[in-house]
Amino acid sequence: GAGVSQSPSNKVTEKGKDVELRCDPISGHTALYWYRQSLGQGLEFLIYFQGNSAPDKSGLPSDRFSAERTGGSVSTLTIQRTQQEDSAVYLCASTFRGESYGYTFGSGTRLTVV
Amino acid sequence: RKEVEQDPGPFNVPEGATVAFNCTYSNSASQSFFWYRQDCRKEPKLLMSVYSSGNEDGRFTAQLNRASQYISLLIRDSKLSDSATYLCVVSLYTGNQFYFGTGTSLTVIP
């Protein structure tokens, strides 16, 4: 596609429910990243996928968070048993052939846990 | 120590002014440097890459000082539309991630 597509754009969920956030990167981009941004805060790295390599999960805040990337393209971030502190904007980004090109963000999923 | 540090501001400047932001990074092995712009409630967007020799894009000039481990962004002739948060981004070129500063807030006042 023309850009990084994320869905849903907004999600309100009850505390304790599971949610799935989807990211469709730019076609041909081999690297995909998930970040989250709380209100008024900077970007927090969550997880990184590069081609067929094992993902870098070092930023996932707890074992309630997991992500997968199927077929080297679409990625799903899953948050189990959501907590209020999970409320944030979840941003996905992709890039081609590594860091020297910078990367392109999707418009994000705004998650609100009530 | 954070990988990337920025003065959060806010910077409030009149239209037409020149404003400069600095950003310091902690890892001397850092290889790639960028400035991103983030408008309120929007995703960050790449403003410009920062090259060793410095580079210019219209009213925007980026500089890299490897010896002192900082990068800068200069905006000349500020426009109202320049109001945003400017994020400094550094990569180690190891294939894992970019490091974002927390951003510097700029408001250009009429």
Side-chain angles (χ1 to χ4, degrees), chain A residues 35 37 45 48 99 102-103 106, chain B residues 34 36 38 91 95-96 98 100:
Chain A
Y35 285 82
Q37 188 173 32
F45 168 74
Y48 160 73
E99 302 90 337
Y103 48 31
Chain B
F34 309 90
Y36 276 72
Q38 186 172 27
S91 169
N96 58 347
F98 293 73
F100 282 79

Side-chain angles (χ1 to χ4, degrees), chain A residues 12-26:
Chain A
V12 180
T13 190
E14 291 182 354
K15 178 181 173 181
K17 300 284 189 184
D18 297 352
V19 294
E20 281 191 356
L21 313 180
R22 177 188 167 104
C23 172
D24 197 346
I26 292 173

